[in-house]
Amino acid sequence: MTRRPSRYSAVAIALHWLIAVAILSMIPMGWWMSEAIVEPDSQALAYRVFQIHKSIGFLILALTALRIAWRLTHPVPALPGAMKGWERFAARATHAAFYALMLALPLTGWAYVSTGWAVATDAPLAVATSWFGLFPIPHLPFIEHASEAARRATAWMAMGAHSKLAWGAIVLVALHVGAALKHQFVDRDGVLSHMIPVLPHGDGAHGLAPEPTPAVRWAERLAGVAFVVVIGAAFGLAARPAPRAEGQAVASTPAAAPAVDAAVTPGAAAAWTVDKAASTIQFTGTHAGKPFTGRFEQWDAQIWFDPADLAGSKAVVTVQTGTAKTGDATQEGSLPGAEWFDTATWPTARFEATAFKALGANRYEATGTLRIKTTTVPVVLPFTFDEANGTAVVTGRVELDRTALNMGMASDAGGDWVSKAIGVEIRVKAARQ
C-alpha cells in the first residue's frame, strides 16, 4: 500500500497557487473588459486586457492539464479521520469540480474566440489569438470554419456558459476558502498545512479518514463534474441568441471582378534598380482608438521613370501582403484572415502607375490602379523625386479607404475598431540602370 505523504509535493503546491492566482486575476479582468470594450475612452486598454485575458486562460488550461497528470501519478495527503462522511464526500467532490472548472472555463473561452463573433455587438469580429504575443494559437477549426449562423449561435452559448462558470468559480473558491479556514481555526487538524508548508501540522489526534471505496470515489468525481457541466450547459443553452430581424445582415461590400495580372510591358523611360534595404512601404491608421504603424517586409518594384519623359514612365509594385508587420501579434495574426488580406487565396496586392504629371519643382503625381484581393480601385499618388549622381529618392503618401477595398467589412464596416482611412507611405531609393 502506498504511504500517504503529510503534505502535497512542491510541484503540486506550485501548480495550485499559480492556477489560483491566475483564476482570481481573471474574474475581475473579465468583468471590467466586457463593459470597457464598448466604451470609446477605454476601448484601447480593454482590447489589450482582452488579449492578456486570453493568454492567461490558455496558461490555466496548460497548467491544469499538468496538474491533473501530476495528481494521477502522485499520492496526496489523507483527510482527517474526524471528518464526517458527508464532509469527506463534499471535499472530494469540490476538488473534482475545481478540476472540471479549470478545464471548462478556458475551453469555453477558446470556443468563443474561435467563432469570430462579438456577443457585445452581436456582429462578426475576427481577432487572432496569440500567447502573450510570443506565438499564435490557432482557433478551433470546426468552429472557425462553420457557417455564420452556427458561429453566432456558438458564440452566444459559449459566452453564456463562460460567464456563468466564472460565477461557479466564485462559489467554489468561497467554499474552498471557508472550508480551509474551518479546518485551520475550528478543527485545528492541520489540513491547511498540506498546501501551506510554513503552517504547523495538526496534532494527529483524530487520525486519518479511511479510503473511500471505488464506487464512492467515482460518485464524488461525478458529483463535482456534474456541478460544472450543469452550470455550463444550462446557461449556454439559455444564452442562445434571438433570431435576427428580417432583412438584417452583416454589412459587406460586393466583390469586384478579379483583376488579371498581365505580363508587365516595360516603359520607354529610364529603368531603375530599387535598393530594398533602404526602401520601405508603410501603412498607418488607428485600432481601438490607438494609432498603429505597419510595414510590408517583402515586395518588388519595377520602375521606369524620367522627368523628361513622363509619357514613357511606368511603375508596377507587387506586395506580399502576408508579410505585413505592426509589432502587435494579434493584429499580425488577424490581417491574413479572409476578410482582410485573405493571403491564402490572394497572397499579393498590385499597384500599377501608368500616367504621370509634373506638379512643379521636385513634385509629381502618379495615376494608376491598386488591386487587393478581388477589388481594384483607382489611386492617385503624389510623390517627390530627387536625383543625384544616378541615385534617386522617392517619397510619397496616399490615403486609402479600406471599405472601398472590401477589407474588414464583416467585422468592422463602420470603422468602430479600425479606421476606415489607412495611410500608405513609400520611401524608395533606386539607382538608374
Side-chain angles (χ1 to χ4, degrees), residues 280-301:
T280 58
I281 300 178
Q282 295 186 327
F283 54 94
T284 59
T286 60
H287 177 219
K290 185 177 180 180
F292 68 84
T293 299
R295 70 187 186 282
F296 293 103
E297 295 193 330
Q298 295 180 23
W299 52 274
D300 292 295

Side-chain angles (χ1 to χ4, degrees), residues 109-178:
W110 195 0
Y112 174 68
V113 300
S114 297
T115 64
W117 196 275
V119 166
T121 57
D122 196 17
L125 184 62
V127 179
T129 298
S130 65
W131 194 73
F132 293 108
L134 298 177
F135 54 83
I137 295 178
H139 291 164
L140 299 170
F142 59 92
I143 295 177
E144 184 180 29
H145 302 308
S147 67
E148 180 184 293
R151 289 187 293 107
R152 178 174 180 255
T154 302
W156 279 86
M157 289 190 290
M159 182 49 64
H162 190 73
S163 61
K164 294 307 181 288
L165 286 173
W167 280 105
I170 294 173
V171 171
L172 286 179
V173 168
L175 290 173
H176 190 60
V177 172

Side-chain angles (χ1 to χ4, degrees), residues 34-105:
S34 62
E35 299 291 335
I37 201 73
V38 296
E39 298 295 333
D41 292 341
S42 55
Q43 194 176 65
L45 178 59
Y47 163 78
R48 278 157 180 76
V49 171
F50 185 65
Q51 309 318 314
I52 295 172
H53 188 85
K54 291 194 291 183
S55 295
I56 295 176
F58 282 107
L59 177 63
I60 290 173
L61 183 61
L63 291 177
T64 299
L66 180 59
R67 185 176 177 186
I68 291 174
W70 189 268
R71 171 66 181 81
L72 293 175
T73 55
H74 293 76
V76 299
L79 295 173
M83 290 181 68
K84 298 179 177 63
W86 70 266
E87 289 181 312
R88 294 196 295 271
F89 186 94
R92 294 189 176 103
T94 300
H95 274 87
F98 261 121
Y99 284 118
L101 193 75
M102 291 184 297
L103 293 174
L105 271 171

Side-chain angles (χ1 to χ4, degrees), residues 9 54 82-83 113-114 144 146 155 158 239 252 284 294 306 346 351 374 384:
S9 66
K54 291 194 291 183
M83 290 181 68
V113 300
S114 297
E144 184 180 29
S252 63
T284 59
D306 190 333
W346 301 93
F351 172 68
T374 62
T384 62

Side-chain angles (χ1 to χ4, degrees), residues 293-319:
T293 299
R295 70 187 186 282
F296 293 103
E297 295 193 330
Q298 295 180 23
W299 52 274
D300 292 295
Q302 296 170 278
I303 301 172
W304 299 268
F305 182 78
D306 190 333
D309 185 12
L310 294 180
S313 297
K314 185 176 182 178
V316 177
V317 181
T318 303
V319 178

Side-chain angles (χ1 to χ4, degrees), residues 336-360:
E339 67 171 301
W340 294 96
F341 283 122
D342 192 10
T343 56
T345 308
W346 301 93
T348 63
R350 187 176 190 271
F351 172 68
E352 180 173 357
T354 54
F356 292 82
K357 182 170 67 174
L359 301 179

